[in-house]
Amino acid sequence: MAALVYCCGDTGPLVQGDGSLAEHVAPFLSKADIRFGQCERVYSDRGSLDPSSTAKHARCSPELAQVFWDCAFDVVSLASNHTMDFGADALKDTIALFEAKGVKTIGAGMNIQEARTPACFEVNGVRIAFLAYSTVLREGFEATEDSAGAAPLRARAWYEEFDFQAGVPPLIRSEVLSEDLDAMCEDVRSAKQIADKVVVSMHWGVHYVPKLIAEYQRPAAQGAFDAGADAIIGHHAHAPKAIEMFGDRPCFYSLSNFIMTGTPKTGEKARLFQERYGVQLDPDRPWLPYGEDAKRSLIAALEFSPDGLTPSFYPVELGIDMKPRLLKPGSQFDEAVSFIDQISENRPGHFTAKGQQVLVLSDGS
């Protein structure tokens, strides 16, 4: 017997609309045994914005979490750069809200023990554990022994000059903090003792730029796989990123947005955004202000069986109504698969379409 897991990208609309944001994807998601999503907001009426953050949008009224129930998510990651934007009370309320609906949360808690605790499921005799971590954390947003926050997988960056000529951009170097990497690997090994399969969610990387993978990401992924992880699901970039096979185990560097909206960028703010990141905003989707590729999305599918794992994905596009729709075979579908192939260039693995599903295969298979 197999266990089918569907994994979705960044979720957190700022408006409820008419309550139908999930209408095109909910029937599809219902086919899975377990549904996983990334929560990009906190849901609470309490707390105040941290002085280090400008993300006023990070806190939403609890009724805006309705989209998570509409998708029937079973487990969500709360590990993100917004986990502590409004403090411990807002995070506590968010966890309680999901728990009241029977949705398990991972990657954040009232202390580091809670943040590092896996969510476990057993489906058709297959035991699956989920863990979540965030690399993109403001100082003090990480959980500790006696304070709330996200499970950290922090990275540091530095810059190296490689040419004597003034004005030549430096090399950008980065690495994960060893203590955080060791802690994550310890969690994976512990989870592997109680589960057959371990899925690790990473809130990481450079946002908005599809092909850019930070130097620290691949070693962090390798560490998780060496410790026993079976799949890595990436979030935060608000655009799709590469898919890479580590042997027979997949790393989805970013699934992009799923059901997500943001505050429109206009005027000087829009100009600076486009200049700094080298991406263009989509005029047809002002409520998706993350660049023209932000409409592209994936639903990752992990089919676990006693014989191993069959990874795949389903191309998705967010319409101008902000509703995600699965793409059907045809020119749009082919272009979406080609895009993923291009941004995954020179990385192990390849793709084969099978109807609406795209199989992720190891090289040589």
Side-chain angles (χ1 to χ4, degrees):
M1 296 290 286
L4 180 60
V5 180
Y6 284 161
C7 302
C8 301
D10 295 327
T11 302
L14 294 177
V15 292
Q16 182 64 29
D18 61 1
S20 64
L21 289 173
E23 65 178 346
H24 300 298
V25 289
F28 173 80
L29 294 176
S30 69
K31 301 173 184 177
D33 298 301
I34 304 171
R35 288 153 291 273
F36 167 85
Q38 171 69 34
C39 178
E40 282 290 276
R41 312 290 184 193
V42 290
Y43 296 93
S44 176
D45 296 317
R46 297 196 293 165
S48 57
L49 184 64
D50 188 277
S52 69
S53 175
T54 59
K56 296 179 181 179
H57 55 77
R59 184 184 63 179
C60 292
S61 298
E63 58 263 26
L64 289 182
Q66 179 63 42
V67 67
F68 291 92
W69 329 143
D70 293 341
C71 291
F73 284 121
D74 300 287
V75 54
V76 298
S77 165
L78 299 180
S80 82
N81 47 309
H82 298 304
T83 301
M84 291 296 290
D85 276 339
F86 281 83
D89 286 340
L91 175 59
K92 185 176 183 179
D93 291 346
T94 304
I95 294 171
L97 179 67
F98 280 106
E99 287 182 345
K101 290 290 187 176
V103 181
K104 297 182 180 182
T105 62
I106 53 174
M110 292 300 100
N111 53 55
I112 190 62
Q113 288 77 21
E114 290 183 8
R116 291 172 58 184
T117 298
C120 298
F121 301 83
E122 184 168 346
V123 177
N124 297 328
V126 181
R127 298 169 298 170
I128 304 171
F130 292 81
L131 291 161
Y133 304 86
S134 181
T135 295
V136 284
L137 290 176
R138 297 182 187 274
E139 187 174 353
F141 278 23
E142 71 277 8
T144 69
E145 292 292 336
D146 53 10
S147 66
L153 188 64
R154 294 163 292 185
R156 71 181 189 97
W158 68 99
Y159 308 93
E160 290 183 0
E161 183 178 346
F162 74 96
D163 193 305
F164 74 95
Q165 301 176 85
V168 175
L171 295 175
I172 302 173
R173 305 296 308 279
S174 61
E175 65 180 6
V176 173
L177 299 187
S178 59
E179 61 265 34
D180 288 356
L181 183 61
D182 290 345
M184 179 197 68
C185 291
E186 178 186 336
D187 293 343
V188 172
R189 286 189 290 267
S190 296
K192 200 72 172 183
Q193 293 178 0
I194 60 172
D196 303 306
K197 308 294 180 182
V198 177
V199 179
V200 179
S201 170
M202 305 278 206
H203 204 75
W204 61 351
V206 180
H207 52 190
Y208 314 137
V209 187
K211 199 164 185 178
L212 180 57
I213 302 296
E215 182 182 20
Y216 73 83
Q217 289 183 265
R218 197 174 194 282
Q222 188 67 66
F225 286 126
D226 288 346
D230 294 278
I232 292 174
I233 304 297
H235 303 91
H236 171 64
H238 296 297
K241 296 271 190 176
I243 302 170
E244 180 174 354
M245 291 296 284
F246 286 70
D248 58 356
R249 293 171 291 180
C251 175
F252 295 83
Y253 282 101
S254 171
L255 297 183
S256 188
N257 302 290
F258 183 56
I259 301 178
M260 186 72 193
T261 59
T263 305
K265 293 181 174 69
T266 58
E268 182 67 2
K269 192 173 183 179
R271 187 191 70 79
L272 287 173
F273 173 85
Q274 293 177 140
E275 182 181 284
R276 288 170 178 170
Y277 293 102
V279 299
Q280 296 298 308
L281 290 167
D282 186 341
D284 295 328
R285 295 170 175 80
W287 291 96
L288 202 62
Y290 313 114
E292 58 191 353
D293 292 314
K295 67 182 179 182
R296 303 178 186 273
S297 185
L298 312 173
I299 296 176
L302 307 173
E303 186 173 356
F304 293 109
S305 70
D307 296 328
L309 164 62
T310 301
S312 63
F313 67 90
Y314 292 83
V316 172
E317 183 172 298
L318 278 64
I320 58 175
D321 56 5
M322 295 295 96
K323 298 178 183 180
R325 294 169 173 82
L326 276 81
L327 296 178
K328 298 179 180 179
S331 58
Q332 243 186 322
F333 177 93
D334 293 342
E335 194 275 333
V337 177
S338 176
F339 181 83
I340 298 300
D341 193 50
Q342 290 170 18
I343 62 176
S344 304
E345 187 179 14
N346 297 324
R347 296 183 181 275
H350 61 281
F351 314 118
T352 298
K354 184 180 179 182
Q356 288 181 279
Q357 182 183 25
V358 182
L359 299 174
V360 181
L361 303 169
S362 300
D363 288 336
S365 62

